[in-house]
Amino acid sequence: MTFERACSLDEVPTDEALAVTLGRYDVAIARDGDEVFALENTCSHAEVALSEGEVANCQIECWLHGSMFDLRTGKPTNLPATEPVATFPVDVRGTDVYVDTETTLNGVTPA
Ligand code: FES
């Protein structure tokens, strides 16, 4: 695994995601309490940034058509999206958030 520093923990809002570019991927960093998650930052329904939506109850909402994606699994929990987005391993080291974009947790290949 190759973890890269993505941001500091206090840069990640509690109610929305932080967009970062790591390697060749756009990644949305989001949190649910003390847990931090990294998802491919493109909705699986159309090519819009998930980081522009709201985060609540361990889900991120796509602002365009309202699909919610579970931060833990990347799976949509309502229509119109039906396909999951890639989720990346996260390692919080002190106050820094590290993400590995060379592998995915859910087996989804990022676009
Ligand atoms: S573009 Fe995200 S739900 Fe349609």
Side-chain angles (χ1 to χ4, degrees):
M1 286 189 165
T2 307
F3 283 93
E4 293 176 75
R5 185 184 180 281
C7 60
S8 69
L9 200 49
D10 58 13
E11 287 179 280
V12 186
T14 55
D15 57 354
E16 53 192 63
L18 177 71
V20 297
T21 301
L22 294 171
R24 59 193 181 96
Y25 298 119
D26 292 326
V27 178
I29 311 287
R31 63 194 296 174
D32 182 61
D34 289 339
E35 266 195 285
V36 182
F37 302 90
L39 294 84
E40 174 183 8
N41 193 15
T42 306
C43 184
S44 62
H45 181 239
E47 292 210 4
V48 301
L50 288 177
S51 59
E52 292 174 21
E54 292 179 4
V55 172
N57 302 318
C58 211
Q59 298 182 92
I60 188 166
E61 181 179 25
C62 177
W63 62 270
L64 190 53
H65 304 121
S67 278
M68 311 278 287
F69 292 83
D70 190 308
L71 299 179
R72 293 160 296 207
T73 63
K75 290 181 183 168
T77 59
N78 62 330
L79 295 171
T82 57
E83 297 296 322
V85 295
T87 56
F88 301 105
V90 173
D91 190 16
V92 178
R93 302 177 185 168
T95 58
D96 292 317
V97 176
Y98 285 75
V99 175
D100 178 6
T101 54
E102 291 188 355
T103 185
T104 62
L105 293 171
N106 61 1
V108 174
T109 303

